[in-house]
Amino acid sequence: MTDSNPDIAPTVWLCREPESDDPAIPQWLTAFEQATVAAFNGIRRQEYLCSRWLIRQALAGASGTAGAECRPVDGRPVCSDHPPGWHLSLSHSHGFSACAVSDTPGLGLDIEPRNRHPHWQKVVRRWFTPSEQAWLLDANDCEDFLKVWTLKEAWLKATGRGIAGNLQTLEITPDFQLIGDRSDESWMASSGQVGDFLLALVYHQSGHSLPSGSLLQTPGELFEASQPARPIAPVDWLFHNPVNIRKQE
């Protein structure tokens, strides 16, 4: 690929996982991936195969390389092996898979069903900042909570950190302004929806172009990587906001 362009925003690809009791292992998987998925069955096997298919669709769409020739690095697929130079972020939830791809490092994606977390107030009281607790509990809106939760998850993925002890490193106001603990001003955050799922994308970018996103047609049971998947619906983006630097007290 060409040198990375920090003014180009990421693309998000999503799909519903096909229903199959015991899908076959595609030959286009790498030896590492074939050995990994052979140990799975049921929902876990389906999720793994769908995510590897989606990675190839994302890399093919971004780079123009044939899907069957695309592959992530072995292990945690945070970047591509071929074509080189692409960065990835995956998310799965309740039979839905998503993959973001960018030519710039610093990328995090999270998806959640809009009807999840019936007892979300407990999460807010336990893990969120005092100001977030105040406005979220007063608004009493589960969808507001999910927007905040997915943004925090995407932020931690983009900055390479786990949930424990880090959920308060990004603070979100009632009008969805974001305040983070990074020292530079090149972070953006987007929130969107596809059907009954919410998604959040956090990415490193110095320009002002907006991300794109598409829901793809559900793959068949054979997960044919050589066939480009057909987009069936765009992501409905709700907002795109910069992540502001937290002022030192």
Side-chain angles (χ1 to χ4, degrees):
M1 62 172 284
T2 59
D3 293 339
S4 67
N5 185 341
D7 293 339
I8 297 177
T11 302
V12 180
W13 305 77
L14 310 99
C15 71
R16 294 190 182 277
E17 298 161 8
E19 297 180 3
S20 178
D21 292 335
D22 189 24
I25 298 178
Q27 292 302 306
W28 46 259
L29 290 175
T30 66
F32 174 86
E33 290 170 327
Q34 291 189 33
T36 300
V37 76
F40 299 149
N41 54 44
I43 293 174
R44 184 69 185 91
R45 182 184 182 106
Q46 191 80 330
E47 180 184 275
Y48 187 90
L49 289 176
C50 192
S51 68
R52 268 51 191 179
W53 175 86
L54 197 56
I55 286 171
R56 285 154 172 87
Q57 295 293 328
L59 289 173
S63 69
T65 305
E69 298 176 9
C70 297
R71 58 184 180 271
V73 296
D74 288 340
R76 186 173 174 225
V78 294
C79 59
S80 63
D81 180 47
H82 183 79
W86 294 94
H87 301 269
L88 304 164
S89 184
L90 292 176
S91 186
H92 313 275
S93 186
H94 292 66
F96 212 76
S97 292
C99 178
V101 59
S102 174
D103 66 351
T104 304
L107 182 67
L109 175 68
D110 190 57
I111 58 172
E112 294 281 355
R114 295 166 71 179
N115 61 355
R116 195 178 174 191
H117 289 293
H119 306 295
W120 58 269
Q121 294 93 338
K122 294 181 180 179
V123 177
V124 171
R125 293 188 181 100
R126 175 67 179 86
W127 297 108
F128 287 12
T129 69
S131 62
E132 289 170 336
Q133 292 178 42
W135 76 264
L136 283 168
L137 295 174
D138 182 63
N140 195 31
D141 187 331
C142 181
E143 192 150 315
D144 279 346
F145 160 74
L146 284 171
K147 289 175 185 174
V148 172
W149 178 260
T150 54
L151 285 164
K152 286 177 177 284
E153 287 262 28
W155 168 254
L156 295 182
K157 288 182 180 181
T159 56
R161 295 177 287 187
I163 289 177
N166 291 310
L167 281 171
Q168 296 187 11
T169 62
L170 180 72
E171 186 167 67
I172 300 167
T173 68
D175 58 351
F176 289 94
Q177 299 303 304
L178 297 91
I179 305 161
D181 67 344
R182 302 284 91 170
S183 60
D184 59 275
E185 299 178 339
S186 299
W187 291 95
M188 291 292 296
S190 301
S191 181
Q193 60 186 26
V194 175
D196 53 356
F197 278 77
L198 281 172
L199 66 100
L201 179 69
V202 173
Y203 51 101
H204 223 175
Q205 179 189 310
S206 60
H208 300 286
S209 56
L210 303 179
S212 58
S214 295
L215 175 66
L216 303 180
Q217 187 174 30
T218 303
E221 293 185 7
L222 297 179
F223 293 100
E224 295 180 1
S226 59
Q227 288 290 108
R230 181 170 66 89
I232 58 175
V235 172
D236 179 16
W237 294 107
L238 305 174
F239 59 80
H240 311 276
N241 290 335
V243 179
N244 299 304
I245 298 173
R246 179 172 291 152
K247 294 181 180 179
Q248 300 295 323
E249 297 182 357

